[in-house]
Amino acid sequence: MISAEFFCAELDRRGFGFFSGVPCSFLKGPFALLEQRESYVPAPNEGIALSMAAGAELGGTKAAVLAQNSGLGNLLDPLTSLGMAYEIPVLLFVSLRGWPNAEDDEPHHAAMGAATIGVLESLGVAHGILEPAQESLGALLDRAERERARRRSFVVLVPADTVGTCAVPAPATEASMTRGEAVEALAGHLSGALVYSTTGMISRELFGVRDDPRNFYMQGSMGHAVGLGLGTALTHPRERVVVVDGDGAVVMHMGGLALVGERRPANLTHLVIDNGSYDSTGGQRTRERAMRWDELALAAGYRTGRICRTPKETDAHLAEIADQPGPHLVALIVGRGGATPPRVTSAHTNAEVRARFQAAAAEPAKGRR
Ligand SMILES: Cc1ncc(C[n+]2csc(CCOP(=O)(O)OP(=O)(O)O)c2C)c(N)n1
């Protein structure tokens, strides 16, 4: 195993001065160390991480991006149309979720796990697979330097158990509600609704608190729960649609908010569980300062926007807006971390989640508008 300290020291030794990315648990250690530096800027999505790195490079600062292979989809455009077209080299570390054996990982990583290396090959992007030994990192970074000299990017692919974690004390949070309490409070208001929940711990928490065929647990597709909700809300105006989102996921594809605010479906409620962090990948911070969700919602065009900080406030506000036309945005401020809820896939395959959701959605509902 390569220690996170060695990993970062090696990048320092080679003169890297700017870092960005979106976390993956395979790279938890380096993220924990980089987070403590001014030179690391957490990005809302991998494409922005890459374009920021390219901007740093254009100014003469060597830059590196750390990402999960699910994020390749977000960064391929700037990697090709910016990095390759303008010959701006960037060093990328991309984790290999779902590889080499798809069965060893969550099913939503299977397709990208199998395709990651082929995608890079078909684009002609130089890459190498990191092995859990310090010499391997040195050899790949030497190759990256040779590519850089030709003004080409290089991708270091990082399989599971290659880079170590490290203990960094989590910053204290001032929130007075846990994720579990927030989900319990909102779960009382989901009856009859079609519910889309976001990737990671939030879907798992909802599954643990209130499993229901009318819940669609969207693992993967980070940032796209609101798109699912909007598509259903617009095409099925008699259904009540609730999206249970995370702050990291919303910010990843924030354009969805603008579209909700523009189309204004009265039947859509967007709940954002804001813990200021990417809890599902190890609790890395999402933002330095809290988002003003209420103002953001109103500016985007939602009919109401509100921040709730306690289960009681959440319960009262959700009861209050239940019969008012939306779209509504409610941000629930919670603390980081919490107990690890069960995986949805311990009970249902993704295809089962989809099939039972579709069947339930087709039934005459009890609580429809
Ligand atoms: C495109 C993409 N990049 C990165 C990831 C890895 N990932 C899975 S869950 C998650 C964190 C989600 O954060 P948030 O929405 O704030 O919810 P939380 O985990 O804090 O509950 C990340 C970064 C991913 N699934 N997809």
Side-chain angles (χ1 to χ4, degrees):
M1 189 88 85
I2 299 164
S3 76
E5 289 79 3
F6 179 82
F7 182 101
C8 292
E10 195 57 20
L11 292 173
D12 290 342
R13 199 175 67 74
R14 290 166 187 263
F16 284 85
F18 182 80
F19 307 91
S20 185
V22 179
C24 175
S25 52
F26 285 13
L27 287 161
K28 220 187 256 181
F31 272 109
L33 295 178
L34 291 174
E35 275 207 316
Q36 300 175 55
R37 306 177 173 194
E38 290 276 315
S39 55
Y40 171 71
V41 179
N45 70 51
E46 293 80 357
I48 296 179
L50 185 59
S51 52
M52 274 198 295
E57 289 277 353
L58 285 176
T61 300
K62 283 172 80 172
V65 168
L66 287 75
Q68 182 172 98
N69 54 346
S70 60
L72 258 194
N74 284 337
L75 64 71
L76 282 183
D77 180 30
L79 180 65
T80 52
S81 65
L82 178 65
M84 292 170 88
Y86 290 85
E87 300 181 346
I88 308 170
V90 170
L91 174 65
L92 292 106
F93 292 90
V94 174
S95 67
L96 274 174
R97 296 295 304 256
W99 185 94
N101 301 312
E103 316 80 67
D104 296 342
D105 209 329
E106 284 290 288
H108 62 275
H109 289 297
M112 191 50 110
T116 300
I117 295 170
V119 167
L120 297 176
E121 271 166 11
S122 68
L123 290 171
V125 177
H127 57 277
I129 300 177
L130 188 62
E131 286 168 25
Q134 292 187 358
E135 310 76 70
S136 171
L137 181 63
L140 289 176
L141 293 180
D142 287 345
R143 277 182 64 196
E145 286 305 322
R146 292 196 289 275
E147 291 298 323
R148 167 179 292 279
R150 299 166 62 203
R151 308 212 53 82
R152 288 162 49 123
S153 292
F154 188 83
V155 179
V156 177
L157 293 164
V158 184
D161 304 322
T162 313
V163 184
T165 56
C166 60
V168 175
T173 69
E174 283 163 19
S176 46
M177 164 161 75
T178 65
R179 179 185 60 226
E181 288 166 344
V183 171
E184 298 228 358
L186 70 87
H189 298 267
L190 298 179
S191 178
L194 292 174
V195 181
Y196 292 111
S197 56
T198 186
T199 191
M201 293 297 177
I202 291 174
S203 270
R204 291 171 62 169
E205 193 84 60
L206 179 64
F207 169 67
V209 167
R210 179 190 174 276
D211 184 28
D212 192 286
R214 294 169 75 83
N215 293 351
F216 187 102
Y217 307 106
M218 191 201 68
Q219 294 293 9
S221 296
M222 187 171 160
H224 294 295
V226 73
L228 271 176
L230 184 57
T232 301
L234 291 175
T235 51
H236 298 82
R238 286 169 56 76
E239 294 283 358
R240 193 163 69 91
V241 180
V242 178
V243 174
V244 186
D245 229 331
D247 61 308
V250 173
V251 172
M252 177 165 275
H253 293 299
M254 217 162 188
L257 260 65
L259 188 54
V260 170
E262 190 241 320
R263 293 287 146 162
R264 298 196 117 191
N267 55 339
L268 183 68
T269 299
H270 193 176
L271 308 176
V272 183
I273 299 191
D274 182 358
N275 52 11
S277 72
Y278 297 114
D279 249 349
S280 306
T281 49
Q284 305 85 356
R285 72 171 189 273
T286 40
R287 297 167 49 77
E288 208 63 63
R289 274 179 295 280
M291 183 76 82
R292 280 139 67 180
W293 294 104
D294 44 356
E295 293 175 26
L296 181 70
L298 296 178
Y302 283 63
R303 274 206 177 76
T304 71
R306 171 80 182 252
I307 296 175
C308 294
R309 297 180 189 280
T310 63
K312 203 169 152 205
E313 196 185 352
T314 304
D315 190 43
H317 180 62
L318 292 181
E320 189 187 318
I321 60 172
D323 293 321
Q324 293 172 21
H328 305 289
L329 187 142
V330 187
L332 313 181
I333 309 302
V334 307
R336 279 174 197 224
T340 305
R343 286 185 190 279
V344 180
T345 47
S346 64
H348 308 289
T349 65
N350 288 344
E352 277 165 19
V353 168
R354 192 260 310 140
R356 68 182 198 146
F357 178 87
Q358 275 192 307
E363 279 171 16
K366 313 129 210 167
R368 286 190 200 168
R369 306 172 72 85

